[in-house]
Amino acid sequence: MNAASPTQALLLATILFATGLLGVLARRNLLLMLMSIEIMLNAAALAFIAAGARWHAAQGQVMFLMILSLAAAEAAVGLAIILRLHAAGRPTLDADTGNRLKG
């Protein structure tokens, strides 16, 4: 079984990042926007892994672990904001209703 070349991995990372960016820009649902941001973070992590494999450096894997922890923190904070919106009595997850996070 042949491993994918770094060029193919970077192409896949580019496609994933563009898909995530399109999801953030086109969607108004907060959960779908969070999922799109996760896709973008995974694309960046894949690019670091591919670059580290290309130059035989371990820094790509270290950056992958940092991006992975950042994605976990982002998901926790994002879900906390969504729960706060729901507790405030907002029945929808529309991103345009989030501008009223008063007190």
Side-chain angles (χ1 to χ4, degrees):
M1 177 180 218
N2 294 334
S5 70
T7 306
Q8 292 172 337
L10 286 175
L11 180 64
L12 178 62
T14 304
I15 292 169
L16 282 174
F17 192 85
T19 303
L21 185 63
L22 182 66
V24 168
L25 294 177
R27 299 288 182 173
R28 300 303 334 155
N29 189 330
L30 288 175
L31 279 177
L32 293 177
M33 290 174 73
L34 282 175
M35 289 171 49
S36 297
I37 291 172
E38 292 289 332
I39 290 173
M40 291 169 61
L41 286 172
N42 284 330
L46 179 63
F48 276 114
I49 291 289
R54 166 70 175 92
W55 289 297
H56 305 291
Q59 287 89 356
Q61 295 176 3
V62 171
M63 286 303 296
F64 171 77
L65 290 175
M66 294 184 78
I67 290 173
L68 190 66
S69 62
L70 175 74
E74 177 263 334
V77 170
L79 288 175
I81 290 172
I82 288 173
L83 285 174
R84 174 68 178 110
L85 285 171
H86 181 68
R90 300 212 172 62
T92 180
L93 292 177
D94 190 17
D96 293 331
T97 63
N99 61 355
R100 297 183 297 262
L101 283 174
K102 298 176 189 167

